[in-house]
Amino acid sequence: NRQIVLAERPVGAPAPKNFRVAEAKIPVAGEGEMLLRTVYLSLDPYMRGRMSDAKSYADPVQIGDAMVGGTVSVVMKSNLKGFSEGDWVVNMGGWQDYSVSNGEMVFNLGKEPAMPSWGLGILGMPGFTAYAGLLEIGEPKEGETIAVAAASGPVGATVGQIGKIKGCRVVGIAGGEEKCKHAVENLGFDVCLDRNSPTFAQDLKDACPDGIDVYFENVGGAVFDAVMPLLNANARIPLCGLISQYNATSLPEGPDRMGMLMGTLLVKKIRMQGFIIFDSFPNLYPKFVADMQKWISEGKMKYREQMVDGLENAPEAFIGLLEGKNFGKLVVKIGE
Ligand code: NDP
C-alpha cells in the first residue's frame, strides 16, 4: 500500500520535503468494514490546514500518517450492507492506494458510473460548496452583480455558472489571461479579470458599474481589498476560503485596516458569513445533487479537470495548487 505521508509540518509554503513516500501493509477489512482501492485522489486547498497543527475545525494530520483527502475508489471486499465488490464510491481514502472504511460519509456510485472523478468536483464537495454558499448565504437575485475569484477552479467556476442560471451579472477574477478566457468563453461569465494585472483594482471597478451585491470570498488578500470599496448596501459575502493567506506565517505589514472593514460592513449593512461545508448545511445535499445533475444534463454547467498521473506526483501538484498553477479541478489518478 503506497502512501504519501506527512514528513514534517511546513512553515510558510509547503515544500517537497514536507512529504514522504511510504510503504504500508494493505489494510484488512474487519466486520462492518470494506476494503477500497483508490482510483482518483482529490487535491484541495483545505489540505494545507491539515498539515498545520494550529487549532482549526478539524484535527491535523499526524507526522508519519498518510495525508487526508477525498477519493474515488473501487470496493475490493465488503463486509458491509449496501456496498458490494466492484462498486465505485466517493470516500475519504487519503493519499494512498488502499483504505478501509465503515461506510460513514461514503457515497456509492454503483458499478459503472459515467464520470466517476466528477464526484470529487462539480458533483461533490467543491460543487456543493459553491451551491450552498452562493444560494443559502449569497442569496443572489436576478439582475444583481456577483463577483468571485479563483474563477476557473471547481468552486469559483460553479459559483459563476449558478449565478448565470439565477440571472445575475457574473464578474470573475482569475490568475492569468488563459483562465479568464476560459471563464468567459466556456463558462459564460460576463467578464473575467486578471488579478495579476497592475490595473486590477481599476479594471474591477470598471467591470462593476452597478457595484457588487454578492462577493463570494475564495481568496482574501489583495482581491478583497479591490472588492471592498465596490460593495453595495445590503451586500452578502459568503466567506468560503482565504487561499491567499494559507501559507502566511504572520499578519501582513501596513496600517491596521480592521476599523475600515468593520465600518464598511456597518454602514452598508453588509452580511459576511463563514461556513464549513461538511457541517453548515446538513440537509441540503440531496437537493444539490438533483439540481446539479439537472443543470449538467441540460448543458448549463461546464466542468474542467486537471488530471495528474501518479500518486508520487501529488505533493508537487498540491504545492502548485496553492500558487494557482492548477487550471481546473485538480485530481490525481493513482490507479486503474
Ligand atoms: P481552486 O482549484 O480554485 O484552486 C485554488 C485557486 O486559488 C488557484 O488556482 C488560484 O487561482 C487561486 N489562488 C491561489 N493563490 C492565490 C492568491 N494569493 N490570491 C488569489 N487567488 C489565489 O480551489 P477550489 O475551487 O477547490 O477552492 C476555492 C476556495 O474555496 C479555497 O479558498 C478553498 O479553501 C475554499 N473552500 C472552502 C470550503 C468550505 O467549506 N468553506 C470547501 C471547499 C473549498 P487563480 O490562479 O485563478 O487566481
Side-chain angles (χ1 to χ4, degrees):
N1 184 21
R2 274 179 324 153
Q3 301 178 318
I4 306 265
V5 302
L6 181 62
E8 58 178 35
R9 301 204 184 279
V11 178
K17 66 175 177 141
N18 302 141
F19 304 90
R20 181 164 48 80
V21 182
E23 193 65 50
K25 278 199 179 131
I26 295 179
V28 177
E31 205 45 51
E33 292 181 336
M34 57 185 164
L35 174 65
L36 302 166
R37 182 174 56 76
T38 316
V39 180
Y40 298 109
L41 164 68
S42 177
L43 295 180
D44 297 272
Y46 75 82
M47 293 166 173
R48 176 64 185 84
R50 303 296 163 82
M51 296 177 79
S52 156
D53 58 6
K55 201 168 160 37
S56 186
Y57 61 90
D59 292 336
V61 174
Q62 297 303 318
I63 303 289
D65 281 357
M67 287 285 298
V68 289
T71 47
V72 167
S73 312
V74 176
V75 178
M76 304 302 287
K77 180 177 174 15
S78 175
N79 302 325
L80 200 56
K81 245 174 101 185
F83 297 93
S84 60
E85 203 182 312
D87 281 350
W88 289 67
V89 298
V90 178
N91 66 310
M92 288 295 288
W95 298 29
Q96 55 186 345
D97 287 325
Y98 293 93
S99 62
V100 157
S101 166
N102 62 5
E104 248 173 66
M105 292 292 287
V106 177
F107 297 93
N108 197 338
L109 303 173
K111 296 278 188 240
E112 286 177 6
M115 305 297 276
S117 62
W118 289 26
L120 300 174
I122 192 156
L123 278 169
M125 189 277 283
F128 185 41
T129 298
Y131 178 92
L134 180 64
L135 298 180
E136 298 291 306
I137 300 175
E139 297 182 352
K141 290 168 203 65
E142 204 177 332
E144 288 190 331
T145 299
I146 299 175
V148 61
S152 67
V155 175
T158 312
V159 165
Q161 292 180 92
I162 298 174
K164 288 314 298 175
I165 291 169
K166 298 294 171 188
C168 298
R169 172 173 168 77
V170 173
V171 178
I173 296 154
E177 242 174 68
E178 206 191 351
K179 289 181 178 181
C180 285
K181 194 164 175 261
H182 168 69
V184 173
E185 292 182 4
N186 301 324
L187 306 178
F189 284 47
D190 293 281
V191 51
C192 184
L193 307 166
D194 183 355
R195 68 176 167 92
N196 298 320
S197 161
T199 56
F200 168 67
Q202 185 61 45
D203 298 345
L204 185 64
K205 190 171 180 214
D206 295 344
C208 301
D210 301 326
I212 295 171
D213 302 294
V214 181
Y215 173 54
F216 192 100
E217 176 63 295
N218 275 335
V219 302
V223 172
F224 184 73
D225 290 344
V227 165
M228 195 164 61
L230 305 176
L231 291 165
N232 287 333
N234 301 307
R236 286 81 65 200
I237 307 178
L239 177 46
C240 174
L242 294 168
I243 195 166
S244 73
Q245 313 298 307
Y246 292 173
N247 288 332
T249 51
S250 61
L251 289 171
E253 297 275 312
D256 179 355
R257 288 169 305 157
M258 183 66 90
M260 189 170 80
L261 167 64
M262 306 242 308
T264 303
L265 299 183
L266 171 64
V267 300
K268 291 186 175 168
K269 299 162 281 175
I270 290 168
R271 180 151 52 88
M272 185 188 238
Q273 186 183 328
F275 66 98
I276 299 296
I277 198 60
F278 298 112
D279 59 24
S280 291
F281 307 99
N283 304 316
L284 197 61
Y285 201 76
K287 186 165 186 317
F288 153 70
V289 174
D291 280 346
M292 190 54 76
Q293 276 171 342
K294 179 168 166 285
W295 291 332
I296 291 172
S297 69
E298 291 169 351
K300 289 183 180 159
M301 220 22 103
K302 298 284 184 302
Y303 182 55
R304 180 182 174 114
E305 262 179 352
Q306 181 181 343
M307 193 66 77
V308 171
D309 210 26
L311 179 63
E312 64 284 3
N313 294 316
E316 193 192 333
F318 174 68
I319 292 166
L321 175 74
L322 297 170
E323 298 167 357
K325 287 195 179 144
N326 64 307
F327 186 2
K329 169 66 200 148
L330 193 53
V331 176
V332 185
K333 184 157 195 279
I334 75 174
E336 288 310 313

